[in-house]
Amino acid sequence: MNIIKDVVFSVLEEIGSEYNNDELKLPTEDTRLFGRNLDSFGVILMVTEVEEKLSNVLGFNISLADDRAMSQKTSPFRNVKTLLDYVEMIINEKKL
Amino acid sequence: MSRVFIITGSRKGIGRQLAEYYLSKGDIVAGCSRGKSSIKNSNYMHFELDISDEDMVINMVRAVKKQHGHIDILLNNAGIASMNHILTTPYTSARKIFNTNFFGTFLFTREVSKIMIKQKNGRIVNYSTVAVALKIAGESIYSASKAAIENFTRISAKELSAFGIRVNAVAPTPILTDLIKGIQKDKIDELISQQAIHRLAEFDDISNVVDFFINEKSDFITGQVIYLGGV
């Protein structure tokens, strides 16, 4: 969904500007997140921002808490593509 | 600017007294309980919910943020007690105690911290009990749920300190509220006899510790558990 992509990209651009990170300032679906451009603090900031902005846009609350959040291999936050897929899955589950 | 509190379990007992105490100081309080509000004050907003219901907790915290723009202090006050031998404790009762005491504290801490992280400031006070230190027979599940809160307090203090959030806990002695209504008098007497100061706690004893934890001058105090009564 474009709406998810817009929100995620805007959050990454904000974080990129705040931390002066060029890869995050110009994100693509291949941009790596946790383990390269974001540490655990960065992931927490990104998750809280994405949750809040998406909840405002969608009109219902979502939580991106996940047991694999801090896993280098399976974290849904390891790159932009996995993040977008994960957010879409959470939203679809919420709509059911 | 008024401070904004979230106080769980604010319909009766210590939670209600704390809510009224901070409202009387001009603060804004958002409270919750399973039942309807017992507080009438224009600076008070009430939410009827089960604090172990994730969606309800998320909705409440975001509603408070939307209404007031910030959340300064979280008092994880809601709790239930139980006296029973482990061999006669139903699994459903044990789960219910952990749901309210521990998982409620976890959920509110997680959701309110998301707001506090952006503010780079916040104070959280959790509730333990002297029963954790005294290890009273008959309080295994209740004490275990509160022991979990103590470790959660210490570790969340570490995880959240980088974001300007302080987390501490107060561990009261018994106080005359509904929480100990069903507990035998001899058990309460046994517990009080093990304190350095042999009396029940009063509301001021608890509010004094909460005031200390949330005071701006206490900005070097985090991850601590203060026991009342000299335990």
Side-chain angles (χ1 to χ4, degrees):
Chain A
M1 282 190 284
N2 283 335
I3 201 165
I4 301 174
K5 199 170 173 178
D6 290 347
V7 167
V8 167
F9 276 38
S10 74
V11 168
L12 293 174
E13 286 160 16
E14 281 173 26
I15 294 174
S17 295
E18 195 172 334
Y19 291 93
N20 203 19
N21 179 310
D22 290 337
E23 285 191 56
L24 294 181
K25 278 185 201 170
L26 295 167
T28 69
E29 293 201 2
D30 298 324
T31 303
R32 285 171 59 191
L33 300 173
F34 181 54
R36 181 181 170 101
N37 290 306
L38 294 175
D39 58 12
S40 55
F41 284 2
V43 167
I44 290 164
L45 288 174
M46 178 190 72
V47 164
T48 54
E49 284 292 331
V50 170
E51 280 180 350
E52 184 177 353
K53 289 193 169 160
L54 271 178
S55 297
N56 290 339
V57 170
L58 298 170
F60 55 83
N61 292 320
I62 62 159
S63 171
L64 301 180
D66 192 281
D67 285 334
R68 302 162 300 160
M70 298 299 164
S71 163
Q72 294 279 356
K73 285 185 179 172
T74 59
S75 172
F77 312 125
R78 61 191 184 278
N79 62 50
V80 173
K81 176 77 168 59
T82 58
L83 172 62
L84 291 172
D85 290 345
Y86 177 65
V87 172
E88 191 163 347
M89 184 192 76
I90 294 282
I91 290 170
N92 288 336
E93 281 177 1
K94 191 86 181 181
K95 283 178 178 169
L96 290 177
Chain B
M1 189 165 58
S2 297
R3 298 180 299 182
V4 177
F5 283 69
I6 285 184
I7 302 177
T8 64
S10 57
R11 196 170 71 86
K12 55 188 182 179
I14 296 298
R16 177 179 176 172
Q17 287 179 283
L18 283 168
E20 289 174 335
Y21 171 68
Y22 288 113
L23 286 165
S24 75
K25 288 173 171 285
D27 295 312
I28 292 164
V29 177
C32 64
S33 66
R34 287 174 188 272
K36 290 191 187 309
S37 171
S38 57
I39 298 170
K40 285 192 168 49
N41 186 304
S42 58
N43 281 338
Y44 178 76
M45 59 196 297
H46 190 80
F47 296 79
E48 280 184 62
L49 56 81
D50 170 356
I51 64 166
S52 63
D53 184 313
E54 184 177 23
D55 280 343
M56 285 181 152
V57 173
I58 292 171
N59 288 340
M60 173 179 168
V61 172
R62 291 193 180 156
V64 175
K65 163 72 166 48
K66 198 167 278 185
Q67 173 84 17
H68 298 293
H70 58 109
I71 300 171
D72 303 293
I73 295 152
L74 166 65
L75 305 183
N76 276 313
N77 164 81
I80 52 175
S82 168
M83 283 289 291
N84 206 339
H85 192 282
I86 55 170
L87 298 189
T88 51
T89 299
Y91 180 49
T92 51
S93 300
R95 285 181 69 98
K96 191 175 161 194
I97 291 166
F98 265 81
N99 277 344
T100 300
N101 293 356
F102 179 70
F103 291 113
T105 295
F106 158 66
L107 285 174
F108 268 96
T109 298
R110 190 187 75 187
E111 292 308 313
V112 170
S113 293
K114 289 174 183 174
I115 312 294
M116 291 176 170
I117 279 171
K118 291 178 199 163
Q119 301 167 180
K120 296 187 169 55
N121 184 42
R123 284 142 282 169
I124 298 171
V125 181
N126 295 328
Y127 287 57
S128 182
T129 165
V130 292
V132 171
L134 296 176
K135 298 170 176 57
I136 308 288
E139 295 201 342
S140 59
I141 305 301
Y142 174 61
S143 287
S145 71
K146 293 294 189 176
I149 288 174
E150 289 195 8
N151 246 14
F152 181 71
T153 298
R154 295 185 180 106
I155 295 171
S156 55
K158 287 184 178 177
E159 292 189 1
L160 298 171
S161 67
F163 302 105
I165 302 171
R166 295 188 292 105
V167 190
N168 292 289
V170 57
T173 64
I175 181 167
L176 284 177
T177 65
D178 284 355
L179 196 71
I180 63 166
K181 198 169 55 180
I183 297 174
Q184 298 158 340
K185 187 177 178 304
D186 60 328
K187 277 287 173 191
I188 298 295
D189 291 343
E190 180 193 335
L191 205 152
I192 288 173
S193 71
Q194 295 180 65
Q195 299 168 192
I197 303 169
H198 305 299
R199 68 165 172 83
L200 289 166
E202 291 172 5
F203 170 71
D204 288 350
D205 300 318
I206 296 170
S207 63
N208 179 49
V209 176
V210 174
D211 277 339
F212 167 69
F213 282 145
I214 67 177
N215 192 311
E216 285 178 14
K217 289 182 179 172
S218 299
D219 66 359
F220 205 39
I221 309 289
T222 195
Q224 302 304 303
V225 180
I226 290 188
Y227 285 81
L228 294 178
V231 172

